[in-house]
Amino acid sequence: MNNEIYPRQRHLISEIDSGLHFTVVGCGGTGFWVALLLAMSGARNINLFDPDHLELSNLNRLPLPRRVINKSKTAILNAVIRHLRPECSVNTDALATNFSLDLYEHNILFDCTDRSTSQELLYTYCREHNLIYIRCGYDGAHISITSHHSSWSNGEQDG
């Protein structure tokens, strides 16, 4: 722990930096901030999952330059975290399937996806593996943080 950065958060940091492994699935408008704030709070082990590439329309929610458009969201977020907190270990993967999730260690999984089928898969995975599940989402009008998968999605059909 860097005592110069975190003197007022000693107790919080001892919990976050106790060897916990955090997983963030969905690294867009919500997941980007969840992962970044975890790293800024002292988390040392973060796994990032997202198959998407940054689009121009994502820049209304993220403080990123246009030159990163079309780059992998996980690669961009990894670079931001490593720049600000080089002591943080970050793993990246595209798809969060049962197989790919099994390749990484996790204690807490943040589901920042916008598709109900993904949310159900991740919720079930966490229940089967005794992981803490936290759903974080934004539908354009409401922010939700819950320990259950949401009944709303962005209206897109999975396919």
Side-chain angles (χ1 to χ4, degrees), residues 9 51 61 73 81 94 96 99 107 112-113 116 123 129:
Q9 295 99 342
R61 298 177 304 282
K73 288 180 180 178
I81 291 171
F99 173 76
N107 304 101
C112 302
T113 64
S116 59
Y123 180 74
H129 292 83

Side-chain angles (χ1 to χ4, degrees), residues 26-95:
C27 297
T30 305
F32 178 94
W33 293 105
V34 168
L36 182 60
L37 291 172
L38 280 168
M40 298 291 290
S41 296
R44 295 215 179 237
N45 303 293
I46 301 174
N47 304 308
L48 305 173
F49 288 85
D50 197 318
D52 294 337
H53 290 76
L54 193 79
E55 298 175 3
L56 180 62
S57 63
N58 297 126
L59 295 183
N60 68 341
R61 298 177 304 282
L62 304 174
L64 298 169
R66 287 178 180 253
R67 64 181 160 77
V68 298
I69 292 172
N70 295 323
K71 294 189 178 181
S72 160
K73 288 180 180 178
T74 57
I76 295 165
L77 184 50
N78 182 12
V80 170
I81 291 171
R82 298 301 312 256
H83 176 74
L84 296 172
R85 296 297 186 267
E87 68 279 5
C88 186
S89 173
V90 180
N91 297 307
T92 63
D93 208 322
L95 293 175

Side-chain angles (χ1 to χ4, degrees), residues 23-27 31 47-50 96 101 109-113 122:
T23 295
V24 177
V25 181
C27 297
N47 304 308
L48 305 173
F49 288 85
D50 197 318
L101 286 168
L109 185 143
F110 291 88
D111 177 357
C112 302
T113 64
L122 295 169

